[in-house]
Amino acid sequence: MNIKPIFILTAAIALAACNNDKKPASPDAKNEKGMSGMGMMMNPMETVVIAKSNPMVMLKLAGELKPDQHTEMFAKVNSYVKHIQVDIGDRVQAGQTLVLLEAPEIQSQVANAKAKLEAQEAIFLSTKATFDRMMKANETKGAIARDALDQIQARKLSDEANLHAARSAYNEIRDVNNYLVIKAPFSGTITSRNVDLGAYVGPMNKEPLLVIENNQRLRLNLSVPEANTPYIKIGDTIRFHVRSRPQEKYLAIVSRKSESLDLKLRSEKIEADFINEGHALKPYMIAETTIPLQHSVPTFFVPKSAVVESGTGIYVIRAENGKAKHVPVSKGRVMPDKTEVFGALNDGDAILKMGSEEIQEGTAIPEGGKK
């Protein structure tokens, strides 16, 4: 019996049955698929109706924490470091002695000036005593010649002038001698030390002897873009965190505004004070801030895609009587999906959701695209 032809015939019958089970795609299914694809495409002439609102806009800015006070301390006279009483990390009080310097030639000049002052004081006291006696004797008419009185008066004035000059010279050199004792100008922390005992120092040194900072209070420095400056006022609260402690949230109070814009960045510098309890934060940390901005009156917020920025200016495209009309605007606050704009707009205006430079004024805008 020949089995091979029978097997081939059976396979052919099974294949035909499978093909009969596959139904051809209906025209309706094809149309539905096509309509779905068209729905995924955005209508370039779609319009949105605008209305005024007054949302709370959160501005996120990066700032820098700086010490409330920062001073680099230099030697005012050429001298040698005799004694250093502090080191990095030491907390000091205002007026505390930090460094003692030594300059033998200055100390010798102080001693010399003091001796000259004492000598001139003795000369003046002697001349003054003689002058007083002659004036007393002159109470008797004719006892002292007029010429003698004039001479002693002139000598008294001369010795008095020499005394003032000697005192001024002594005070000047004494003040220079005081420069050999360097004291803390305010309470704070020593953050840098650049000298050792015996080092020769002077006003021409490039590096300071010490750096002292007041880290008990920090200043949060921010540069606020021009469009957002009207919404930040003295006394406002700024929330922030630092990268080293992302889980911790801190508050700072706006205390100072520069009231002027930076020429390069077109931004205003503001400072917010932060009380650094426990010295948890360090100066010059980067702070990630969140600043709430809210207008006193409602304004227009439009989709970001509706704002066209071109060489001729910034504008939105309004639908007027079925045609496109360019309306110049200026931008304000920015939200994730919307931008605040100011211009000749009214509640109920319909603008293109997708603005484009290619859409010229007078271009037809079909009805039915409003949302």
Side-chain angles (χ1 to χ4, degrees):
M1 182 177 181
N2 193 348
I3 301 176
K4 186 174 181 181
I6 298 174
F7 175 77
I8 294 174
L9 179 61
T10 304
I13 294 172
L15 182 60
C18 290
N19 289 336
N20 290 334
D21 290 338
K22 293 182 179 180
K23 296 181 180 179
S26 66
D28 292 341
K30 292 182 179 180
N31 290 338
E32 289 177 2
K33 184 176 180 181
M35 293 298 292
S36 175
M38 290 295 291
M40 295 295 291
M41 297 176 61
M42 184 172 289
N43 178 9
M45 292 299 178
E46 179 183 348
T47 60
V48 292
V49 177
I50 61 174
K52 288 184 176 180
S53 61
N54 192 11
M56 178 75 74
V57 179
M58 306 308 293
L59 174 65
K60 295 184 180 296
L61 285 178
E64 183 182 29
L65 291 169
K66 291 185 177 181
D68 183 58
Q69 292 175 295
H70 171 103
T71 297
E72 297 179 343
M73 311 192 71
F74 291 84
K76 295 183 178 180
V77 295
N78 294 326
S79 54
Y80 294 91
V81 177
K82 182 179 181 181
H83 188 62
I84 302 176
Q85 298 185 352
V86 293
D87 211 330
I88 293 176
D90 289 346
R91 296 181 184 176
V92 298
Q93 300 299 317
Q96 178 179 334
T97 299
L98 307 179
V99 180
L100 293 177
L101 304 177
E102 186 176 31
E105 64 277 9
I106 293 179
Q107 294 167 343
S108 175
Q109 292 174 13
V110 171
N112 186 32
K114 184 176 181 181
K116 288 183 177 180
L117 174 62
E118 291 174 349
Q120 195 59 49
E121 285 178 341
I123 293 173
F124 173 72
L125 289 176
S126 176
T127 303
K128 184 176 183 300
T130 302
F131 174 78
D132 291 342
R133 286 195 299 271
M134 292 183 70
M135 292 300 294
K136 184 69 175 176
N138 191 48
E139 292 178 0
T140 302
K141 188 175 181 180
I144 304 296
R146 183 65 186 176
D147 183 60
L149 287 175
D150 292 341
Q151 289 181 8
I152 193 61
Q153 186 174 16
R155 186 186 304 173
K156 172 181 173 292
L157 293 175
S158 176
D159 289 345
E160 186 176 14
N162 290 335
L163 175 61
H164 290 323
R167 182 175 288 114
S168 296
Y170 171 70
N171 290 338
E172 181 180 359
I173 194 67
R174 184 188 60 185
D175 291 340
V176 173
N177 187 59
N178 291 338
Y179 293 158
L180 298 177
V181 180
I182 298 180
K183 298 183 178 182
F186 52 82
S187 299
T189 304
I190 303 299
T191 60
S192 178
R193 168 189 154 183
N194 301 306
V195 293
D196 292 310
L197 292 177
Y200 181 73
V201 296
M204 300 304 293
N205 285 41
K206 294 183 179 180
E207 290 186 326
L209 278 64
L210 301 170
V211 176
I212 181 173
E213 295 179 349
N214 179 5
N215 300 337
Q216 187 62 39
R217 184 171 67 174
L218 300 179
R219 298 187 181 207
L220 175 58
N221 283 252
L222 294 167
S223 292
V224 179
E226 178 181 358
N228 299 314
T229 55
Y231 309 104
I232 301 179
K233 301 176 179 61
I234 300 296
D236 286 354
T237 299
I238 296 178
R239 299 178 181 274
F240 71 95
H241 68 273
V242 295
R243 296 172 183 175
S244 60
R245 296 189 173 200
Q247 74 283 2
E248 300 288 342
K249 304 299 180 184
Y250 303 97
L251 298 178
I253 305 300
V254 177
S255 303
R256 289 163 292 277
K257 298 179 64 177
S258 66
E259 301 296 344
S260 179
L261 296 185
D262 180 86
L263 290 177
K264 294 181 179 179
L265 302 177
R266 297 297 173 182
S267 59
E268 181 182 15
K269 181 180 179 180
I270 70 168
E271 290 184 345
D273 287 340
F274 170 71
I275 304 302
N276 192 19
E277 296 181 359
H279 295 266
L281 303 184
K282 311 298 181 186
Y284 309 108
M285 281 183 168
I286 300 300
E288 303 292 342
T289 69
T290 302
I291 308 173
L293 306 177
Q294 191 164 31
H295 207 299
S296 57
V297 295
T299 55
F300 288 110
F301 281 82
V302 302
K304 284 186 174 181
S305 58
V307 181
V308 182
E309 298 188 41
S310 68
T312 59
I314 304 174
Y315 59 90
V316 297
I317 302 175
R318 179 168 58 197
E320 290 187 5
N321 300 320
K323 294 184 178 181
K325 173 67 176 178
H326 293 182
V327 181
V329 296
S330 57
K331 297 197 301 182
R333 295 167 292 169
V334 178
M335 299 176 69
D337 58 343
K338 293 184 178 181
T339 300
E340 184 182 31
V341 294
F342 301 92
L345 297 171
N346 302 296
D347 279 324
D349 283 350
I351 65 171
L352 288 185
K353 187 175 182 180
M354 292 290 295
S356 172
E357 292 184 63
E358 298 177 357
I359 302 176
Q360 302 296 321
E361 284 200 347
T363 301
I365 300 180
E367 295 291 335
K370 295 184 180 181
K371 283 192 176 181

